[in-house]
Amino acid sequence: MAEPEFSARGVRIARWPRSLTRAGEVRIEDGRLALLTSYGSEIDSAPVTAVRAGRPWFAKADETVATVNGTRYRLTLRDGDRDRDHDSESHASGRFLAALKKAARRS
């Protein structure tokens, strides 16, 4: 099995207005984005070409909004190192958006 292009654990996944998990996982692998619970069961998944994601102007640096199969999810991807500068690409959310864009270009 190939290494995932992006994987983040400890992700808070919320679907307005409630939280689905506080310790979930976001994974991009084989051209698909998967949102998983802390137990590993799938919340939602879709091909990366069908996923829309971005960071709204009102979101914190570690938050991203992703639309998967028509459902909007708020993803809070926390970095292990809180003392980093506030460059958007250094945060896990910036790395997620870059990995999603890169995977969509390959597909």
Side-chain angles (χ1 to χ4, degrees):
M1 182 180 255
E3 189 74 20
E5 297 164 43
F6 179 85
S7 180
R9 293 177 182 254
V11 178
R12 182 173 189 261
I13 302 172
R15 183 174 53 207
W16 283 274
R18 67 184 191 119
S19 176
L20 299 175
T21 182
R22 291 185 299 167
E25 183 177 359
V26 175
R27 180 179 288 187
I28 299 173
E29 187 173 26
D30 298 328
R32 290 190 68 82
L33 169 73
L35 304 177
L36 307 171
T37 66
S38 56
Y39 298 108
S41 57
E42 187 175 285
I43 296 170
D44 208 346
S45 73
V48 292
T49 55
V51 175
R52 288 182 31 217
R55 186 178 303 124
W57 64 270
F58 55 83
K60 296 177 187 170
D62 61 353
E63 292 181 345
T64 301
V65 175
T67 304
V68 181
N69 294 326
T71 305
R72 286 178 34 171
Y73 296 95
R74 186 177 67 217
L75 310 174
T76 305
L77 298 104
R78 304 240 187 249
D79 269 332
D81 184 6
R82 296 255 180 213
D83 296 328
R84 286 186 167 166
D85 59 14
H86 287 79
D87 180 23
S88 65
E89 291 303 311
S90 69
H91 290 285
S93 61
R95 292 194 310 272
F96 165 71
L97 293 172
L100 188 65
K101 194 178 294 187
K102 184 177 178 182
R105 271 184 283 184
R106 278 194 223 149
S107 298

